Amino acid sequence: MADVFLKPTTLSDIDNIMTWVNDPEIAEYFASLGNITREQETEYLEKMLASANDRLFSIFVDGVYAGQCSLNQIHWPSRNARLFLVLKKKFHGRGLAREVIAAVLRIAFDELALNKVWLIVREKNEKGRHVYRKAGFETEGVLREEYRVKGKFVNMVRMAILEREYRQWYHQKPKEVRK
Ligand SMILES: CC(C)(COP(=O)(O)OP(=O)(O)OC[C@H]1O[C@@H](n2cnc3c(N)ncnc32)[C@H](O)[C@@H]1OP(=O)(O)O)[C@@H](O)C(=O)NCCC(=O)NCCS
């Protein structure tokens, strides 16, 4: 089994991050990726790292940089946060997202004491929705024509997992089901 490690992101991860932000096959899943310069990404990263409401993690698989995940828009009064996750293409197809999600949810619920983690995923991103469903997320609704990607309006699905659901999903199920 691969060793998946989430390292708190620092500015020194910029070169790793630049290896995927403009990858068209990845950018198509997000409204704000593609055509990003190193300067723009550095500026974004500096802002995120200074923010009290964002936690960024660089994903390492067997010691090799594999992508990013983060808890963004943390609303401390309501104890919720938005999950972002991207794996570099060469790491797809190994079921790694499941392990990354488990690791980031552990941080969200055990370390940050959040009550809810939510995300939005493109309605057509069947793989993303499958991965999140399997990680215990429930669909909360469809945001109709929420984003405009390549000139087309696309629906986004909002999904979320509550702290109590996380406890049940990850700790009270037999290992073979949890896997
Ligand atoms: C979404 C993402 C994180 C998943 O990564 P991954 O762990 O490599 O996913 P895998 O390819 O191993 O597939 C995981 C599961 O999805 C299933 N799957 C793959 N393609 C699928 C598809 N087109 N439709 C439905 N399910 C699919 C696999 O069969 C596997 O299912 P299983 O766990 O039940 O066996 C990764 O593809 C990624 O970074 N994509 C680009 C960015 C993105 O979409 N992020 C999420 C949106 S917010």
Side-chain angles (χ1 to χ4, degrees):
M1 206 167 101
D3 173 50
V4 175
F5 175 65
L6 300 192
K7 178 190 86 68
T9 300
T10 64
L11 268 187
S12 66
D13 291 301
I14 187 75
D15 290 329
N16 282 330
I17 294 170
M18 288 310 295
T19 60
W20 58 264
V21 279
N22 292 319
D23 178 338
E25 283 181 50
I26 297 224
E28 72 169 302
Y29 290 107
F30 301 96
S32 52
L33 296 183
N35 298 318
I36 295 173
T37 64
R38 197 174 192 282
E39 289 65 36
Q40 286 169 327
E41 188 59 28
T42 304
E43 200 180 312
Y44 172 78
L45 206 52
E46 280 170 347
K47 195 173 122 201
M48 286 292 120
L49 296 177
S51 159
N53 304 322
D54 297 274
R55 295 282 193 282
L56 276 57
F57 305 96
S58 296
I59 305 165
F60 287 84
V61 173
D62 295 329
V64 179
Y65 178 81
Q68 284 295 126
C69 70
S70 50
L71 294 163
N72 299 110
Q73 297 171 231
I74 303 175
H75 190 247
W76 295 106
S78 312
R79 290 199 280 136
N80 66 45
R82 174 180 181 172
L83 175 64
F84 167 85
L85 164 62
V86 74
L87 283 173
K88 286 179 69 169
K89 250 182 350 232
K90 71 173 189 177
F91 291 90
H92 290 189
R94 293 167 54 185
L96 292 169
R98 196 184 317 162
E99 288 187 51
V100 173
I101 295 168
V104 77
L105 290 182
R106 194 192 58 69
I107 294 170
F109 295 123
D110 288 347
E111 292 181 22
L112 303 179
L114 298 181
N115 179 58
K116 177 174 183 169
V117 173
W118 61 275
L119 59 90
I120 57 175
V121 54
R122 275 177 64 173
E123 192 175 40
K124 293 221 165 102
N125 187 351
E126 298 286 352
K127 176 159 72 159
R129 291 171 62 192
H130 173 87
V131 164
Y132 290 124
R133 256 195 314 271
K134 218 166 158 184
F137 284 72
E138 295 279 345
T139 296
E140 295 192 311
V142 177
L143 305 170
R144 297 176 308 144
E145 301 191 4
E146 181 74 2
Y147 283 160
R148 189 156 175 261
V149 181
K150 290 186 196 154
K152 277 193 181 165
F153 290 107
V154 297
N155 290 349
M156 301 295 291
V157 175
R158 176 165 156 141
M159 303 179 80
I161 184 167
L162 301 175
E163 191 255 0
R164 60 180 176 277
E165 292 167 343
Y166 164 77
R167 302 269 167 237
Q168 192 177 12
W169 199 260
Y170 287 87
H171 297 293
Q172 288 168 19
K173 289 188 167 194
K175 269 198 173 124
E176 60 275 14
V177 177
R178 201 195 314 158
K179 192 170 174 286

